[in-house]
Structure formats: structure tokens, C-alpha cells
Amino acid sequence: NQNEIECETLPLLASSILTIGHHLHHSLNSNDPSSSSSFVVSAQPYADCGISTYYSSLLTNNNVIDIDTVARDAMHTLIKETHRNQLPYTSSRSSDVWDALIALDGDDSNGDGSSESVRLIYANTFVAAIPYDQGTCEYWNREHLWPRSRGIGNSGKDNTDIHHLRPSDCNINAARSNNYFGTCGTSRLFSECSSPAHLEAAFDTEKDSVTFLPPENRRGDVARAILYMDLRYDGDEDSTTTMDLVVSDCPESVVNGAGMG
């Protein structure tokens, strides 16, 4: 019965999670969103972010990481304790999430660290980095891959964690809403499916009333971001606004759940 799915908690993919360890510090000489792309972004990793140094607490006596035996709690503690910089969501005085997304999802075809365009996660196209959306849905905006309404809220480190934030077409962002990521027709009738998921979305996207399927070449990025968020946020932050995020095959039945079908 295609209206029924087996509900099991997804096993964490430790091998995917362990690839996340590159921390960037962004410095800009202009934060004016109305200006042309005149700012320069430099990405300088922390000095102790070499793989062997960063993961040293997880290494075995043979100086390797055994992903079959490394404890989830150890990985959680590591990425929590090394989360050293919380960017403001929007700021006119310092680097913020907008700036980080332009740096990380930009087109650095000039090879000089500057980005004049950004890649939109669901449209799979590039648009001008500047200007960006100011609430009118005229330009690109910021997508929370783990929806705010499913445990993120509007404040805290999880709200501005750029591991799960991506540039997005504003209209496709609205069409995705807070749908879980998954294959269309898995938990609803195939007759509900729309492909592409929106007129402005990539041709290989899909959606129904519950699920949303990103473009094929971005699904790995989305999956790693969702798994990271489950591992990073266990509800043990000092802030009471940060909840325990849970990946599940049946996210509708899990508090603060998200899924990848």
C-alpha cells in the first residue's frame, strides 16, 4: 500500500558525517547588499583544522578512524565543541549568513575568492549574488534545509548554521515549505506528484503534499546536511531554544523530525 511506509529511525551515516570538519572564517570589506559585487571574501581555515588534528580525539591506536566503532556521542561532542563562530543571520556591521552563502555557494570562476553569482539549491542555476532578497521575493533568499518549523526556530546556532543553509529561489523555497525530503509518491498517492516541483525548479525535482525531492546532483549535499543537523543538535545547548533534531523514515510521527526517503 503506497499510503503506508515502514517507520524506522534512519541509521546515521558516520562516514558522511566525518567528512564535515572544515571551518571557515569570512572577512569582507563591504556588507552593503545594494552595492555591486565589490566586496572580497577570503576564507581562512582555523590553524588546527587538518584532518589528523581535527579528528585526533576519534583516532584509534593505529591512527585511523574506525567508523564502525566510533561513538555517536564522541562525534557529537567534537562538532559541538569546535562550532566556534556563530554568524548573525543578518547584519550591517559584520559578516553574516548572506556573506557566507555568497562565499560558499558562489561561482569563483575568476579564481580570486570573489563570487559574482550564487547557485540556487532547487533551481540548480546561478543568479547574481547582489542584490539578494529584502522581503519582496524578487531576488534569491536563504533556505533552511532543516525547516525552522521542525525544531530550528528563529534563533540559536541551529538557525544560522551554514551547514544546512543554501541560496534558493524564493518561489521554490515557498513551494517546498516544510516538506520532508523524499521521493514523491512514497507516502502519498502518485496522483499527487508534481514534476518539476515548481515552474522555476530544476526538471528532476518532485513534490507532493508531504515530500520534496531536490535535483539529483544536489541530493547528496542535502542528505549530508540533514545528517549533520541530527548529529550536531541533541538539545544539549546552553540555549533553551535549540531542540533535539531527529532524522527518521517516519518524520511525521517524530517531534522535530526530518527525513530523507
Side-chain angles (χ1 to χ4, degrees):
N1 187 329
Q2 62 186 20
N3 288 308
E4 297 178 358
I5 57 175
E6 183 178 357
C7 299
E8 296 179 354
T9 300
L10 288 173
L12 284 176
L13 302 181
S15 58
S16 295
I17 295 298
L18 288 172
T19 64
I20 303 168
H22 193 63
H23 302 265
L24 299 177
H25 174 73
H26 307 281
S27 60
L28 294 91
N29 58 29
S30 173
N31 292 293
D32 182 3
S34 63
S35 68
S36 62
S37 53
S38 58
F39 59 78
V40 176
V41 178
S42 63
Q44 300 294 330
Y46 285 102
D48 59 349
C49 274
I51 294 176
S52 60
T53 302
Y54 183 81
Y55 294 116
S56 60
S57 63
L58 306 180
L59 296 176
T60 66
N61 293 334
N62 296 325
N63 208 35
V64 297
I65 298 174
D66 186 346
I67 63 173
D68 293 322
T69 61
V70 65
R72 173 196 164 90
D73 287 348
M75 290 191 291
H76 166 71
T77 299
L78 175 63
I79 62 176
K80 177 185 175 183
E81 291 182 349
T82 54
H83 191 161
R84 290 174 280 201
N85 184 23
Q86 180 180 351
L87 291 173
Y89 196 58
T90 301
S91 175
S92 60
R93 298 184 300 275
S94 64
S95 301
D96 59 14
V97 167
W98 291 112
D99 301 323
L101 293 181
I102 292 172
L104 296 172
D105 290 278
D107 176 20
D108 183 23
S109 57
N110 295 325
D112 60 1
S114 64
S115 300
E116 296 184 356
S117 61
V118 292
R119 186 179 188 178
L120 305 183
I121 181 72
Y122 304 137
N124 214 12
T125 58
F126 283 91
V127 298
I130 302 294
Y132 43 73
D133 188 59
Q134 299 291 306
T136 63
C137 216
E138 186 176 358
Y139 305 105
W140 66 276
N141 69 358
R142 298 166 291 188
E143 163 72 327
H144 289 76
L145 298 179
W146 196 296
R148 280 173 157 173
S149 61
R150 300 198 185 281
I152 299 297
N154 296 311
S155 63
K157 288 184 177 180
D158 50 356
N159 180 55
T160 61
D161 194 324
I162 57 175
H163 283 95
H164 84 120
L165 288 164
R166 296 291 187 279
S168 178
D169 177 282
C170 183
N171 294 312
I172 308 175
N173 193 344
R176 185 252 164 149
S177 185
N178 65 352
N179 285 21
Y180 308 108
F181 291 115
T183 303
C184 187
T186 301
S187 59
R188 294 294 187 272
L189 295 172
F190 281 105
S191 59
E192 288 191 25
C193 294
S194 299
S195 183
H198 185 274
L199 291 176
E200 298 173 38
F203 75 95
D204 52 353
T205 58
E206 302 174 351
K207 77 178 293 285
D208 56 29
S209 60
V210 175
T211 61
F212 185 98
L213 188 67
E216 183 175 4
N217 65 344
R218 307 308 301 277
R219 292 169 197 169
D221 296 337
V222 172
R224 283 184 287 272
I226 293 297
L227 289 168
Y228 162 85
M229 293 297 285
D230 173 287
L231 182 64
R232 169 65 182 84
Y233 297 101
D234 274 4
D236 58 355
E237 300 290 319
D238 294 334
S239 170
T240 57
T241 62
T242 304
M243 305 298 177
D244 181 15
L245 306 182
V246 180
V247 174
S248 172
D249 273 341
C250 197
E252 291 179 276
S253 64
V254 178
V255 177
N256 301 328
M260 281 297 301

